[in-house]
Amino acid sequence: MNEMMFEDYDYEDVEVEYADYYEDDTYVMPDEESWKDDSDEQTVDPFTLDELYNYCIIPTITDSHKHLIGILSWSFLFLLSSRTFRIPKVLIHLSSTVSGGALLWHMFDWRSCLMGGLFVITYLNLLSSHFVLRRWRGPSCFIIGVIYLIVCEFWMVNPMWWHAFRGIQMVILMKLVSVGYDLDTSQLKEFPNLFEVTGYTFNPGTVIFGPWIPFTSYQNVLSPLKWGLKWVLKILMNLSISVAFLIFSTCLVNWLIPDNSNRWFIAYRDALSFRSSHYFVSYLSEVSLNLAGIESVSVSKPLKIEFPRSLVEVVIYWNTPMHHWLKTYVFKPSRVKFGPFAAIIFTYGMSALFHGLNFQIAAVLFSLGFYTYTEHMLREKLAVIFDACILARPCKSCKHRKKDSTLFCIFVNLILGLVTMFHLAYLGMMFDSSSQMQEKGYNAAHTLKKWSTLNYSSHWVAFFMYVLMAVL
């Protein structure tokens, strides 16, 4: 194959990248079991709107504001301390570090030392590889950081604690690895000093939920901020959307699709609830980023995911900053050495590793790797056979005889889009509201049991598509 998914994507409207999955890793939703009957055998009348408002929506907002106020307040305090009047650059970076450190301590108390430990060992490795080896800065940071994460996950940290903040560790590691790779490729001309790196790593606008931003974007904090009504309205709009997705995920989805529904409706409900919690975090991360005075980033695009053209686009728009990070620092270097298909598998493997050594996440990501590769290649072959715009991404300028607006292309893209929605329901169904599972992470038995209830149908469909792709 000549051009693969990660190579063809357009980032003109996205300045930076993604940090996948800080969403449910760093924020624990209120326990839905507290407002649902514990007995599977007993039928419970659905809540009225008034009961839903009083017993779910209000408690959800009340419980969540404790964390949200801290994140938004420290981001705004950093903005006020660094951008309202001119101060030396070193004080700006120091303010970023102190604000982010205070936020981490506010949310995780002494456990925030684990984030500091990851920074220390990775930064020391970055120093040694830069001044001693003068190469391999990115790969060495990646290796030493992953070893630290594995040791923490299996031997040092309570699983419930680790599940709560492993997303933060992932963002920290992504930042330091990107600095190393940018030095290797001369994207950064000079080695940033300690104040610059700590300010970048622990900036309050990105340290909790992300998103990942490159070091060059962080340096915008050194420039005067353009205050204005547009800036304020954007913050308020994104905050409102974020809270709306939180309420929808925690309360409304289970009210609209009750437990006595068809198993496929329940699968779609659980997956939709999980996706909505991700949208909550994505929009909240945009708010914190703007409040910290850093250039705005589009993290996720829910409409592109809920009404998809293809799984390839879902992968892109799920978290565009992290996707860009994976493409730049994992896929491209590995493709040169191993080829496109192996690079895709390696990229999804690294994404799974960054999210923690968890069977559930690994199973979903490796399935996505196989699904997206199959879909991309099948669509590419069908586009040639039918001379039609039915690629995984819309054609920008092509010589296909049948354009996107033709009835044939609309029909094919609609059918494959529905297949994508089917895959999303199947892959996301195990991210349910089992509170004990959520606190520790989902194991292999939980994942396979969930998929077995649907007879592994999505994997069979993907296998059929692969066979069809292979024979064409």
Side-chain angles (χ1 to χ4, degrees), residues 169-187:
Q169 300 278 54
M170 180 178 66
V171 177
I172 291 173
L173 183 56
M174 289 172 67
K175 290 178 179 179
L176 294 170
V177 169
S178 67
V179 170
Y181 272 107
D182 287 346
L183 288 168
D184 288 336
T185 58
S186 300
Q187 297 294 318

Side-chain angles (χ1 to χ4, degrees), residues 186-417:
S186 300
Q187 297 294 318
L188 288 178
K189 303 300 182 183
E190 298 180 356
F191 188 88
N193 62 47
L194 177 62
F195 293 103
E196 292 174 321
V197 178
T198 54
Y200 167 56
T201 304
F202 295 105
N203 182 268
T206 61
V207 72
I208 300 297
F209 290 129
W212 170 84
I213 59 173
F215 181 76
T216 52
S217 293
Y218 163 74
Q219 290 178 311
N220 291 331
V221 300
L222 303 177
S223 304
L225 178 67
K226 296 180 181 179
W227 302 83
L229 181 61
K230 183 178 179 181
W231 176 75
V232 175
L233 290 177
K234 184 171 184 179
I235 290 175
L236 293 177
M237 181 184 69
N238 285 340
L239 182 59
S240 300
I241 295 173
S242 175
V243 174
F245 274 121
L246 172 62
I247 294 172
F248 184 76
S249 171
T250 309
C251 302
L252 297 181
V253 172
N254 287 276
W255 182 72
L256 293 171
I257 307 177
D259 289 337
N260 58 359
S261 302
N262 176 274
R263 59 179 180 172
W264 273 105
F265 283 111
I266 293 176
Y268 178 78
R269 179 197 68 185
D270 292 342
L272 179 60
S273 177
F274 169 71
R275 294 196 300 270
S276 297
S277 69
H278 168 71
Y279 304 147
F280 153 67
V281 173
S282 297
Y283 278 97
L284 185 62
S285 67
E286 291 187 37
V287 173
S288 63
L289 193 68
N290 278 272
L291 276 176
I294 301 175
E295 189 172 357
S296 180
V297 177
S298 177
V299 176
S300 184
K301 294 186 178 181
L303 289 178
K304 293 284 188 179
I305 298 170
E306 297 304 320
F307 305 100
R309 175 189 177 95
S310 65
L311 267 177
V312 172
E313 287 204 331
V314 171
V315 170
I316 299 171
Y317 295 120
W318 177 261
N319 193 317
T320 47
M322 186 173 185
H323 173 79
H324 179 64
W325 188 93
L326 289 169
K327 173 189 172 183
T328 303
Y329 301 111
V330 181
F331 176 76
K332 285 186 175 180
S334 59
R335 185 186 59 177
V336 174
K337 295 183 178 180
F338 308 119
F341 177 72
I344 290 175
I345 299 302
F346 181 73
T347 301
Y348 279 98
M350 291 302 100
S351 179
L353 193 59
F354 267 47
H355 284 88
L357 294 177
N358 180 280
F359 179 86
Q360 171 214 35
I361 295 176
V364 169
L365 289 176
F366 279 116
S367 295
L368 273 175
F370 176 72
Y371 288 10
T372 51
Y373 168 78
T374 300
E375 180 193 39
H376 175 85
M377 294 302 298
L378 177 60
R379 280 177 171 267
E380 196 172 70
K381 291 186 175 182
L382 291 176
V384 173
I385 293 172
F386 294 103
D387 196 14
C389 293
I390 52 177
L391 296 172
R393 303 208 67 193
C395 298
K396 292 184 177 179
S397 57
C398 66
K399 297 180 180 180
H400 290 132
R401 184 170 57 86
K402 298 183 182 72
K403 301 300 182 182
D404 266 322
S405 57
T406 62
L407 186 60
F408 175 80
C409 292
I410 292 174
F411 176 76
V412 172
N413 288 324
L414 176 62
I415 294 300
L416 292 176

Side-chain angles (χ1 to χ4, degrees), residues 36-49:
K36 289 165 59 178
D37 196 290
D38 293 331
S39 173
D40 294 333
E41 298 178 358
Q42 186 175 2
T43 301
V44 180
D45 294 333
F47 276 14
T48 65
L49 287 175

